């Protein structure tokens, strides 16, 4: 089974959120399970030079976009036992960030999607499945439909995974028609047309053989108008081809037992002393009072509405006044939320530290140092931060939506089961009540808290089970069976 992941992000080369983590780790697990999984992504300027130095130039071709022929260089890198292909074009990929939020993004990912298919004969790799991710690669299944006359592409199947339905790649229909250069046939309302615009994600969802999303609950939610972002009726129509497969994380990258970024490594057995050392180090580094007994709550997130920051904004004053915890925030995003946290760190310097930046290293330190992790999302396709937190024995406080509902088992005070705290409605009082419930256990039943931290660390969210589900999905559409490797039996 040969699978090519087409993606706009892949850790450690480029990551702005969870998509980067997923494509940075799932292919590796698939490879361990006898699937020839490879990855193709843009050669962005921001990819660290050390990786660029290791890349091998394969060849170049030219791709028709609107009235122009665009250069398309092809590079290859073998890294971490997996093969990565990079598409080079300075005109499109020379921005400082992968997404520039300017008009070019549309054309740039149409170019990338067309390149993904066009370079394959030159590379000499003919995948059985192209696994697309989000709107940036939505055009791939559409282009594939137009490439079918060529025998090379005849048996190729495609899958698209929706990591976030809110972002759809929606632009003026004429611009998209022009850039894609395919016939008007593709631009009716049962295909790419969407409220007089064209929608790249919708194109992918119509033409892919299967549509997946990253948790069971989100797969159900998006078939309703409330979560469906205008595409719920299409999702209902394709319900038989819609699979929810929950994300995993790499326990090579996220593991307190071997994390090189943190002050003190720890195991479930040593979680209490390990966390104390990491907490003290972080408090020192961030200038918070060094108080081992104060509950430390972490937030590592894109600062957007999706993540529930309006609930936090509403209750932050009360939470700081209450003086029952310290809070550390790491994130960038919408200005109103960046300023909110800047303001509170100025007003309550002994309670809140705001790190308005993107730092992988700091994220590791926060996951390790905190007692709890706050993530009251309005919607959450899967969420990885809460899964990472659990591995570090940091108990998540979440709203029961999407993947948060599927991955965080709430503490049951009668049975002692669970490893987190959750609330149902998108309501600031419920969130605050939930934080206070967590505080109550933390301050009044420490042995129970430590036990919950151990239970969180024992919960298994590695890729093992979910990778098997992707393999059955690939088998479903290709008819190819994958033999299990002996060591995996
Ligand atoms: P989303 O993909 O919606 O942003 P996820 O929870 O799936 O949310 O994944 C977020 C990923 O991005 C996690 O690995 C998290 O640690 C990381 N992350 C988010 N913001 C930052 C930041 N400011 N610095 C470092 N890592 C961050
Ligand atoms: C998206 C979602 C997040 C998910 C990630 C990886 O960015 O917002 O919930 O975990 O993709 O699938």
């Amino acid at each position: 089974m040969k699978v090519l992941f087409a993606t706009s992000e892949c850790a450690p080369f480029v990551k702005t959120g969870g998509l980067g983590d997923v494509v940075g780790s799932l292919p590796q697990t698939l490879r361990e399970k006898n699937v020839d999984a490879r990855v193709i992504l843009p050669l962005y300027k921001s990819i660290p030079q050390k990786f660029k130095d290791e890349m091998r130039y394969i060849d170049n071709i030219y791709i028709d976009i609107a009235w122009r022929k665009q250069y398309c260089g092809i590079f290859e890198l073998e890294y971490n036992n997996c093969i990565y292909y990079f598409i080079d074009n300075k005109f499109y990929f020379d921005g400082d960030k992968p997404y520039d939020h300017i008009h070019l993004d549309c054309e740039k990912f149409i170019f990338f999607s067309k390149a993904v298919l066009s370079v394959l004969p030159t590379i000499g790799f003919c995948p059985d499945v192209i696994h697309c991710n989000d709107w940036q690669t939505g055009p791939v299944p559409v282009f594939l439909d137009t490439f079918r006359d060529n025998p090379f592409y005849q048996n190729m199947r495609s899958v698209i995974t929706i990591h976030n339905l809110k972002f759809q790649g929606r632009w003026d229909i004429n611009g998209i028609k022009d850039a894609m250069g395919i016939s008007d046939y593709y631009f009716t309302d049962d295909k790419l047309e969407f409220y007089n615009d064209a929608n790249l994600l919708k194109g992918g969802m119509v033409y892919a053989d299967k549509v997946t999303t990253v948790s069971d609950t989100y797969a159900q939610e998006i078939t309703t108008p409330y979560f469906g972002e205008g595409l719920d009726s299409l999702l209902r129509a394709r319900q038989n081809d819609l699979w929810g497969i929950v994300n995993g994380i790499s326990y090579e990258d996220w593991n307190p037992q071997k994390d090189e970024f943190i002050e003190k490594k720890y195991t479930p057995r040593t979680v209490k002393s390990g966390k104390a050392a990491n907490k003290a180090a972080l408090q020192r580094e961030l200038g918070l009072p060094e108080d081992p007994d104060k509950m430390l709550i972490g937030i590592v997130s894109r600062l957007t509405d999706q993540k529930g920051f309006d609930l936090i904004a509403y209750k932050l004053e009360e939470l700081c006044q209450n003086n029952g915890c310290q809070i550390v925030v790491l994130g960038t995003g919408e200005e109103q939320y960046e300023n909110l946290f800047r303001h509170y760190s100025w007003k309550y310097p002994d309670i809140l530290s705001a790190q308005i930046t993107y730092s992988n290293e700091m994220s590791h330190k926060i996951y390790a140092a905190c007692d709890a992790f706050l993530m009251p999302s309005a919607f959450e396709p899967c969420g990885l931060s809460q899964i990472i937190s659990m591995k570090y024995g940091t108990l998540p406080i979440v709203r029961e939506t999407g993947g948060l509902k599927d991955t965080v088992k709430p503490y049951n005070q009668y049975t002692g089961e669970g490893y987190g705290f959750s609330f149902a409605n998108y309501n600031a009082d419920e969130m605050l009540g939930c934080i206070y419930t967590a505080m109550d256990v933390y301050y009044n039943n420490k042995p129970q808290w430590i036990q919950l931290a151990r239970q969180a660390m024992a919960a298994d969210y590695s890729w093992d089970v979910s990778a098997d589900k992707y393999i059955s999905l690939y088998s479903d559409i290709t008819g190819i069976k994958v033999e299990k490797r002996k060591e995996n039996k």
Side-chain angles (χ1 to χ4, degrees), residues 353-373:
S353 166
Q355 304 299 309
I356 307 300
T357 177
Y358 187 94
S359 162
N360 184 45
E361 177 169 347
M362 181 51 76
S363 76
H364 282 255
K365 290 178 178 171
I366 293 175
Y367 289 122
C370 288
D371 301 296
F373 188 87

Side-chain angles (χ1 to χ4, degrees), residues 116-414:
V116 165
L117 294 173
S118 309
V119 298
L120 295 175
T122 307
I123 293 174
F125 182 59
C126 185
D128 302 298
V129 179
I130 305 217
H131 192 143
C132 309
N133 294 277
D134 279 348
W135 71 264
Q136 290 88 346
T137 46
V140 173
V142 185
F143 281 127
L144 188 55
D145 193 65
T146 69
F147 277 42
R148 290 280 187 215
D149 291 346
N150 182 335
F152 185 86
Y153 299 96
Q154 236 148 40
N155 295 321
M156 227 174 257
R157 298 280 169 264
S158 63
V159 171
I160 189 158
T161 295
I162 301 168
H163 296 267
N164 195 333
L165 191 59
K166 199 175 174 94
F167 303 105
Q168 301 182 356
R170 176 177 171 180
W171 276 278
D172 172 65
I173 195 162
N174 291 318
I176 291 192
K177 264 189 196 173
D178 191 44
M180 288 186 77
I182 55 177
S183 81
D184 284 355
Y185 165 83
Y186 290 97
F187 292 91
T188 53
D189 64 359
D190 56 337
K191 305 191 188 76
L192 270 79
E193 196 271 345
F194 188 68
Y195 298 101
N196 298 325
D197 287 332
N199 183 320
L200 299 180
L201 179 65
K202 185 182 175 199
M205 288 162 63
V206 170
Y207 278 95
D209 295 284
K210 294 276 178 196
V211 179
T212 78
T213 188
V214 288
S215 68
D216 262 331
T217 296
Y218 193 62
Q220 289 159 25
E221 286 172 343
I222 57 179
T223 60
T224 66
Y226 185 78
F227 290 98
E229 305 284 350
L231 288 170
D232 46 293
S233 55
L234 171 59
L235 285 158
R236 284 195 299 279
R238 294 219 59 187
Q239 203 142 25
N240 288 339
D241 295 319
L242 174 65
W243 290 37
I245 303 178
V246 74
N247 286 334
I249 57 169
S250 155
Y251 288 148
E252 285 302 307
D253 298 338
W254 300 107
N255 190 339
Q257 295 188 37
K258 42 185 170 184
D259 193 323
E260 294 301 331
F261 292 122
I262 65 179
E263 174 79 12
K264 190 165 193 247
K265 301 185 178 77
Y266 57 92
T267 64
R269 199 174 53 78
T270 60
V271 58
K272 196 172 171 192
S273 59
K275 273 206 167 287
N278 286 301
K279 186 194 267 191
L282 188 70
Q283 285 169 330
R284 234 176 293 132
E285 182 174 349
L286 301 181
L288 287 168
E290 230 178 278
D291 185 347
D293 297 324
K294 200 71 164 280
M295 180 175 179
L296 182 60
I297 300 181
I299 295 174
V300 177
S301 181
R302 288 183 295 117
L303 302 180
T304 68
D305 280 345
Q306 171 191 342
K307 303 292 177 177
F309 286 110
D310 51 347
L311 300 190
I312 296 175
Y314 200 65
K315 291 292 175 189
L316 201 48
E317 179 68 35
E318 199 174 329
L319 200 55
C320 291
Q321 287 276 344
N322 173 279
N323 200 15
C325 63
Q326 290 178 348
I327 302 167
V328 44
V329 181
L330 172 67
T332 58
E334 286 168 32
E335 210 177 323
Q336 51 165 330
Y337 298 128
E338 293 191 347
N339 289 339
L340 170 86
F341 291 117
R342 284 195 187 104
H343 172 75
Y344 277 92
S345 68
W346 166 80
K347 191 170 177 190
Y348 296 102
D350 288 350
I351 295 181
L352 193 140
S353 166
Q355 304 299 309
I356 307 300
T357 177
Y358 187 94
S359 162
N360 184 45
E361 177 169 347
M362 181 51 76
S363 76
H364 282 255
K365 290 178 178 171
I366 293 175
Y367 289 122
C370 288
D371 301 296
F373 188 87
L374 181 60
M375 198 168 172
S377 304
F379 71 94
E380 197 60 72
C382 177
L384 297 175
S385 304
Q386 83 283 8
I387 297 178
I388 299 170
S389 296
M390 293 189 284
K391 184 66 185 175
Y392 283 76
T394 305
L395 301 186
I397 301 173
V398 303
R399 188 170 96 81
E400 292 154 13
T401 185
L404 296 175
K405 188 171 172 187
D406 295 353
T407 56
V408 177
K409 186 168 181 192
Y411 167 50
N412 179 327
Q413 60 173 318
Y414 303 106

